[in-house]
Amino acid sequence: MDWEIFDFYVDDGYSGKNLNRPDMQRLIKDAQAKKFDTVLFVKLDRLSRKQRDTLYLLEDVFEPHGIGIKSVTESFDTTTPFGKAALGMMAVFAQLERETIVERVRLAKKESAKQGRFMGGPAPLGYDHDPAKKRLVINEEQADLVRWIYYEYLKGERGYKGIVELLNQKGIPSPTGRKWNTVTLKFILTNPIYTGVIEHKGERHKGNHPSILDRSKWDEVQRLLAQRGAVRSAATVHGGLVSGIVYCGECGARMRYKRVWQNYPCKEPKKVIDYYVCYSQDKSTPYMTRSKECRVGYKRAAEVEDAVVDVLRKYSVDIGAVAEIAGELLDGNEDKDLLRTINRLRKELTGIDKKLERWYDAFEKGAISPDDLVERINGLREKKKSLESEIIELEDHVQKANERAITMADIVEVLKNFSELWTQASADERRGIVSNLLNGVKVFKDGHVEVELGE
């Protein structure tokens, strides 16, 4: 048959488990516009692995617009009732196959965790994965960096942001090869793998890898993290508009919300002014101090908060700028190499399927004996199972990246309606809006304010 090709619709790096794929959405729109009359695919599960989605495409998209479908490797005729039923059955088995693989991977991962094996993915900073021994081994240079991070945090002179800034100033590459961020640092400071354990689904098991940190030091860091988190939570609830997310732009320390009785002890009239003051200058909490020489000064809370709201109002009328910032944040968070890796693994999987088919054909033609067939396909089956497990693992990472993209989309949506929301919001609701929109606020000695949109 001669085919006149209209276009190719290829979703490299995306799973067939749903229709939320860029080229799939383009295919649906083009089908609804009747730009072609047939959809040709290699195998049904490449179209979708869910029966519901397959039937939706057939009955609600293709059929109403006079578009037929054709598989390269499968035989069915959707113009007859039997053919439609056969297609539905194939869709059922495609979905069942994926669900079976997912369940098998889930059980295998649970058992691996119980045996203390590394759960896969990139090796954590401080370790290398030894494929021969199938375990993590210490990378001494990186392990020293991990120990330094824990030591620096325990000193109490710097928080997440301060350590991140110091690492970037020193030009030390992060585990992703890009600049350090607070998310990466928090993962290192809370990862129990450094104490020689494996954590899976909230349960911890003794690992078969060596520890980098003493458990006592790791526990001490967790206590300190909890204490500082409590300080932030209390400040957010009871303090000013940006309490908990405001930092000194000069030394990097947090700033506290402070009410000052200006005309003490006079009560008629009592004059109280609200300020944000750097912990380094305030000295009320020693471990929050970053620089004893910091003199950023007391900044009136009303002026700082007005400046923050002004910035958000400007963003609300310049969504293009917000979208650009969102793109930069996502570029920094999403590991695009994952998509390329998934695509490569899928190609390897396709190659294995072809090899299996060739050996089965050879057996049917009598070219090899049953013993030879079993010997040749066993290794391929094991490799296929391993690839399927790895693909599902990486797809989970991609899903998390997609969730971050959704978060940024929500931020953009809130900013579009910021003025209306702000006018109608109560004081507590306004604090909630700001804490959800912003990752941090910096206040400088000259009084100017910088804001950082949330990640």
Side-chain angles (χ1 to χ4, degrees), residues 45-61:
D45 64 5
R46 296 300 87 200
L47 191 65
S48 176
R49 283 183 176 265
K50 281 194 175 180
Q51 181 191 21
R52 181 186 62 189
D53 292 340
T54 300
L55 295 179
Y56 162 74
L57 291 171
L58 178 64
E59 296 178 356
D60 295 344
V61 179

Side-chain angles (χ1 to χ4, degrees), residues 188-257:
I188 292 171
L189 286 171
T190 57
N191 195 345
I193 200 167
Y194 296 119
T195 64
V197 303
I198 293 293
E199 186 173 54
H200 179 63
K201 300 293 184 181
E203 295 182 0
R204 292 179 184 172
H205 308 276
K206 180 174 174 54
N208 58 15
H209 62 279
S211 62
I212 289 176
L213 299 169
D214 291 335
R215 179 60 187 265
S216 59
K217 178 169 287 189
W218 189 85
D219 286 341
E220 189 177 350
V221 166
Q222 306 319 300
R223 283 194 293 271
L224 187 54
L225 285 167
Q227 290 171 5
R228 294 183 179 183
V231 168
R232 173 171 179 166
S233 298
T236 302
V237 173
H238 303 293
L241 181 68
V242 293
S243 293
I245 58 171
V246 60
Y247 297 83
C248 174
E250 305 298 332
C251 75
R254 288 185 182 276
M255 300 184 79
R256 62 172 294 205
Y257 182 76

Side-chain angles (χ1 to χ4, degrees), residues 253-425:
R254 288 185 182 276
M255 300 184 79
R256 62 172 294 205
Y257 182 76
K258 188 171 185 177
R259 310 200 76 190
V260 178
W261 189 349
Q262 295 284 351
N263 56 344
Y264 179 84
C266 180
K267 296 183 179 180
E268 296 293 338
K270 183 178 180 179
K271 186 178 180 182
V272 178
I273 298 180
D274 300 334
Y275 293 95
Y276 287 104
V277 56
C278 172
Y279 271 107
S280 294
Q281 185 173 343
D282 185 63
K283 297 181 174 62
S284 60
T285 311
Y287 77 81
M288 301 287 276
T289 300
R290 289 283 300 277
S291 171
K292 294 180 180 179
E293 286 74 38
C294 183
R295 292 294 180 270
V296 70
Y298 280 51
K299 302 302 178 187
R300 287 189 179 238
E303 294 176 2
V304 172
E305 292 167 3
D306 286 345
V308 170
V309 175
D310 283 344
V311 171
L312 292 176
R313 288 189 193 280
K314 289 176 183 177
Y315 277 139
S316 70
V317 295
D318 188 6
I319 296 300
V322 179
E324 183 177 343
I325 293 170
E328 290 174 358
L329 287 174
L330 292 176
D331 285 344
N333 286 326
E334 181 179 358
D335 191 352
K336 294 180 180 178
D337 290 341
L338 286 178
L339 296 177
R340 286 193 288 268
T341 301
I342 291 172
N343 188 41
R344 175 179 59 78
L345 294 176
R346 286 210 179 107
K347 288 179 180 178
E348 286 185 39
L349 202 57
T350 300
I352 288 175
D353 285 336
K354 289 179 179 178
K355 287 179 182 178
L356 287 169
E357 288 175 10
R358 286 198 295 270
W359 288 123
Y360 287 133
D361 288 343
F363 173 70
E364 289 175 0
K365 294 174 182 177
I368 60 173
S369 68
D371 290 340
D372 286 339
L373 176 65
V374 171
E375 182 181 346
R376 294 175 190 278
I377 68 173
N378 276 347
L380 290 174
R381 281 179 171 173
E382 287 298 317
K383 179 64 174 175
K384 180 178 180 180
K385 189 186 298 184
S386 173
L387 288 173
E388 288 171 339
S389 299
E390 192 170 354
I391 288 171
I392 289 174
E393 180 79 26
L394 292 175
E395 284 177 352
D396 287 341
H397 287 287
V398 173
Q399 180 64 31
K400 290 175 182 176
N402 290 338
E403 289 170 0
R404 288 196 296 272
I406 292 170
T407 301
M408 288 309 305
D410 289 341
I411 289 175
V412 172
E413 191 61 31
V414 170
L415 284 171
K416 284 181 180 177
N417 304 290
F418 177 77
S419 294
E420 182 179 352
L421 290 171
W422 195 257
T423 301
Q424 298 175 1

Side-chain angles (χ1 to χ4, degrees), residues 118 123-131 135-140 142 209:
F118 178 53
L125 182 72
Y127 292 101
D128 292 323
H129 185 251
D130 186 338
R135 59 179 294 186
L136 294 175
V137 294
I138 292 179
N139 179 316
E140 288 298 341
Q142 293 181 4
H209 62 279

Side-chain angles (χ1 to χ4, degrees), residues 112-215:
S112 292
K114 287 183 178 179
Q115 295 180 16
R117 295 202 294 266
F118 178 53
M119 301 304 293
L125 182 72
Y127 292 101
D128 292 323
H129 185 251
D130 186 338
K133 297 181 180 178
K134 295 183 178 180
R135 59 179 294 186
L136 294 175
V137 294
I138 292 179
N139 179 316
E140 288 298 341
E141 183 178 352
Q142 293 181 4
D144 285 342
L145 177 58
V146 171
R147 296 184 189 103
W148 178 87
I149 289 172
Y150 273 76
Y151 170 76
E152 196 66 26
Y153 192 80
L154 284 171
K155 279 169 57 179
E157 296 178 359
R158 294 181 173 87
Y160 288 153
K161 284 183 173 290
I163 296 175
V164 164
E165 289 171 1
L166 188 58
L167 287 166
N168 287 329
Q169 287 172 6
K170 291 177 175 291
I172 298 172
S174 75
T176 63
R178 294 185 284 268
K179 285 189 174 182
W180 286 84
N181 57 54
T182 55
V183 175
T184 302
L185 188 71
K186 183 177 180 181
F187 177 77
I188 292 171
L189 286 171
T190 57
N191 195 345
I193 200 167
Y194 296 119
T195 64
V197 303
I198 293 293
E199 186 173 54
H200 179 63
K201 300 293 184 181
E203 295 182 0
R204 292 179 184 172
H205 308 276
K206 180 174 174 54
N208 58 15
H209 62 279
S211 62
I212 289 176
L213 299 169
D214 291 335
R215 179 60 187 265

